[in-house]
Amino acid sequence: MGNAECPECAGILSLAPNTEAGEIMSCPDCGARLEVRSVNPPQLAAAPKVEEDWGE
Amino acid sequence: MKLGLCYTVISPENKMLLEAAEKRGVEFVRIVDGESVLQLSGKPKEELDVLLQRSVSYSRGLCLAYYYEKSGCQVINSYQAAKVCGDKMLSSLELASAGVPTPKTNVCFSPEAAMDAAEDIGFPIVMKPVMGSWARMVNRLNDHEALSMAVGCKEEMGNPWQKIYYLQEHIDKPGRDIRAFVVGEEVVAAIYRNCTKESGWVSNASRGGHPTECAVTSELSELCLRASKIAGEGIYGVDLMESGNGLVVHEINHTAEFKSCASATGIDIAGSIIDYAVSRAKS
């Protein structure tokens, strides 16, 4: 899948081959919660804030 | 047969559902709630037989469930199910009305009434937001002073929903609760959610509760199916506690997470959900 840069700390994350756009992951370097914006090219952004009405 | 999966983000559960659908060769459409435009005088862009509504946002989920149902699509879980399960007052009221054992619960709207409501139940009590999940802002309050402070904090909040006081009897559970997973007419798996140092007195997996397998006994199964009937047939995570008087149901989740349940039990919950959705499309 390739590598993507963490928008918070510029660390490099390696994306697994089955990564999906919209997936949430954590940066192993700074711990930031990130959302995969696109897989081709691999691109990350800060994950959406957890809202008060979020849940299961 | 065309199946839709509506989501806010790709959670581990949603990823498992996508993989299970792909494995079964089910035609699948992704609907990202944040990107959706609902044309109220028109039809949805995609004609779907069944929509799995798994928005993590309760408000978006309600809007989307209503919209797709109106277009003639079967939505799992339905608008009515989401409405009842996502509002703790409605679900507690429905559980009590259906004769399902559930902790004693009082609801009121002012700090003064909250004191009376707590007295009626007896301390310690548990105060929860009527809307919300993952044990956020859930407090165990041991006395009047603690309740007064917690109520004072809520009164300062801007959100009027936080000023609905939902006060519940505290169940002295044995360091764990139970999450059972209902798919249609079957309880497919259950786990104990064990309290840990990290989770404290709550046991939610999202707060660090440790999952271990729980046997699906006939008693557990019968109670979960009876409880989930308050929301109609669908896919639910039923939360129960072991009280001195037997099992009590305290919550029913309509977009239940199942990663912990699947890993602790080895049950293919995502596969069961997709098979169920396909069967509903054919029914």
Side-chain angles (χ1 to χ4, degrees):
Chain A
M1 174 74 49
N3 295 331
E5 189 179 287
C6 170
E8 299 290 330
C9 73
I12 300 298
L13 281 85
S14 169
L15 303 188
N18 62 346
T19 303
E20 296 259 358
E23 209 168 309
I24 302 294
M25 51 182 60
S26 295
C27 172
D29 289 347
C30 70
R33 217 170 141 264
L34 304 170
E35 180 183 10
V36 178
R37 279 292 166 83
S38 85
V39 289
N40 192 18
Q43 206 177 13
L44 300 168
K49 185 176 155 276
V50 175
E51 300 285 352
E52 210 170 313
D53 75 335
W54 280 29
E56 53 170 340
Chain B
M1 213 294 292
K2 202 189 268 184
L3 190 63
L5 175 69
C6 183
Y7 57 85
T8 309
V9 292
I10 300 262
S11 61
E13 288 80 10
N14 291 340
K15 196 164 180 178
M16 286 185 229
L17 289 169
L18 290 168
E19 286 168 358
E22 203 171 308
K23 199 170 151 191
R24 286 160 173 75
V26 175
E27 191 183 352
F28 219 82
V29 178
R30 293 165 166 80
I31 297 170
V32 184
D33 60 20
E35 296 171 2
S36 297
V37 175
L38 311 184
Q39 295 179 329
L40 303 191
S41 52
K43 288 264 179 192
K45 267 190 221 159
E46 295 281 356
E47 248 187 62
L48 302 170
D49 296 294
V50 171
L51 177 68
L52 283 174
Q53 208 329 104
R54 292 197 51 91
S55 291
V56 75
S57 157
Y58 180 55
S59 328
R60 290 181 189 182
L62 282 178
C63 292
L64 284 151
Y66 198 93
Y67 180 69
Y68 276 91
E69 278 178 7
K70 198 76 185 163
S71 79
C73 172
Q74 283 203 64
V75 180
I76 307 171
N77 290 312
S78 69
Y79 171 84
Q80 183 59 21
K83 183 85 190 148
V84 169
C85 296
D87 183 323
K88 289 187 179 64
M89 183 193 131
L90 301 190
S91 41
S92 291
L93 184 59
E94 293 296 337
L95 286 169
S97 303
V100 175
T102 190
K104 180 172 179 175
T105 305
N106 289 343
V107 169
C108 56
F109 312 102
S110 72
E112 299 75 24
M115 294 297 161
D116 295 340
E119 281 290 340
D120 180 56
I121 295 169
F123 287 97
I125 53 150
V126 178
M127 185 164 76
K128 303 176 180 179
V130 282
M131 254 177 241
S133 210
W134 304 324
R136 285 177 303 174
M137 298 175 67
V138 171
N139 292 300
R140 179 171 61 186
L141 304 165
N142 291 327
D143 52 33
H144 284 105
E145 191 183 354
L147 174 62
S148 174
M149 286 171 72
V151 165
C153 291
K154 281 167 89 76
E155 282 295 303
E156 292 302 317
M157 292 181 176
N159 183 346
W161 286 98
Q162 291 295 351
K163 293 169 193 165
I164 299 174
Y165 296 104
Y166 175 99
L167 304 169
Q168 192 163 69
E169 170 192 7
H170 174 259
I171 301 292
D172 194 14
K173 60 188 181 185
R176 66 187 187 191
D177 72 358
I178 297 170
R179 159 66 59 90
F181 215 87
V182 174
V183 179
E185 295 284 348
E186 193 187 353
V187 178
V188 295
I191 50 169
Y192 291 114
R193 302 187 302 181
N194 302 283
C195 296
T196 62
K197 203 171 174 184
E198 187 189 347
S199 73
W201 71 278
V202 298
S203 45
N204 301 58
S206 58
R207 292 278 290 268
H210 176 66
T212 51
E213 187 167 7
C214 169
V216 180
T217 61
S218 53
E219 182 200 7
L220 179 67
S221 179
E222 184 272 326
L223 184 56
C224 290
L225 293 176
R226 197 147 64 88
S228 62
K229 286 222 170 9
I230 66 161
E233 193 184 314
I235 300 163
Y236 302 103
V238 179
D239 293 345
L240 309 98
M241 290 183 282
E242 298 154 281
S243 79
N245 298 317
L247 292 171
V248 293
V249 177
H250 59 285
E251 227 167 89
I252 301 181
N253 300 275
H254 65 288
T255 52
E257 292 163 348
F258 54 83
K259 186 180 71 169
S260 303
C261 193
S263 65
T265 62
I267 305 279
D268 178 15
I269 296 175
S272 297
I273 292 174
I274 297 298
D275 292 341
Y276 172 68
V278 170
S279 75
R280 281 276 297 264
K282 289 177 181 164
S283 66

